[in-house]
Amino acid sequence: MKSWIVVVAAALVSVGAVSVGAYFDNAPDTEAIMKALFKKNSGKFNTALKKEIETSPTDWEALQKTTGEIAKLGGDLEKGKPGKGDEASWKKLAGKFGADTKALHDAAEAKDLAKIKASQKAIGGSCKACHNAHRE
Ligand code: HEC
């Protein structure tokens, strides 16, 4: 959360109150969530997660920390707005993304590698449909 505060503070200083208003209209920001989840992994779904899944023996603490962060961001997606597309479709697709990321974290909490992999696959297969409908 600290970085979010820094972003808002920086926006206040550099561009003034009008844009900050726009920022809050969109919060939680869809682009920021996508960036946090994917951009730092050069567009691929969480590479830290991939590595942690493949590591043997499993470092459950690290894995659960990663899936917890993914689930938090994934759950917030539905509350934001997409660049385009209608609201009902967004609620459905973003809602599914929230449920998929929660299932991923639940599986990590249960230390169930097979379920983790299944969730990872479901999430990895959900990108295109939502981007086609809602990404500008
Ligand atoms: C529920 C809808 C939805 C799902 C599922 C989804 N995305 Fe997105 N994604 C978006 C939207 C909407 C944007 C455009 C955000 C904006 O710029 O306002 C976006 C933007 C992005 C961006 C560009 C971020 C930037 O720098 O501006 C990346 C990278 C990305 N998504 C990766 C992924 C990957 C990888 C997956 C699947 C593992 C995925 N997304 C699944 C809705 C989704």
Side-chain angles (χ1 to χ4, degrees):
M1 273 314 101
K2 226 178 217 152
S3 59
W4 185 82
I5 291 164
V6 171
V7 169
V8 174
L12 256 175
V13 171
S14 59
V15 288
V18 175
S19 323
V20 174
Y23 182 90
F24 279 112
D25 280 347
N26 274 325
D29 188 86
T30 304
E31 186 178 354
I33 290 174
M34 281 294 133
K35 276 197 171 130
L37 277 173
F38 305 119
K39 186 103 188 240
K40 68 179 172 191
N41 305 295
S42 58
K44 290 196 193 72
F45 181 52
N46 209 308
T47 42
L49 174 71
K50 187 166 182 285
K51 222 168 155 191
E52 283 159 12
I53 288 173
E54 284 163 4
T55 300
S56 178
T58 310
D59 181 347
W60 289 109
E61 207 176 307
L63 186 54
Q64 287 160 356
K65 186 169 176 280
T66 303
T67 57
E69 285 163 6
I70 292 171
K72 167 83 183 70
L73 288 161
D76 276 347
L77 193 63
E78 188 184 2
K79 297 178 212 156
K81 284 183 200 144
K84 64 163 194 186
D86 70 279
E87 203 173 322
S89 162
W90 175 250
K91 288 282 175 217
K92 191 175 150 228
L93 291 167
K96 181 179 181 297
F97 190 79
D100 286 344
T101 53
K102 185 180 178 301
L104 174 76
H105 186 48
D106 288 349
E109 295 276 76
K111 301 190 177 176
D112 187 334
L113 259 188
K115 268 194 187 153
I116 290 171
K117 285 180 185 165
S119 294
Q120 184 193 24
K121 216 175 153 197
I123 294 164
S126 70
C127 324
K128 203 163 171 276
C130 191
H131 287 170
N132 285 347
H134 297 292
R135 185 176 174 181
E136 274 179 314

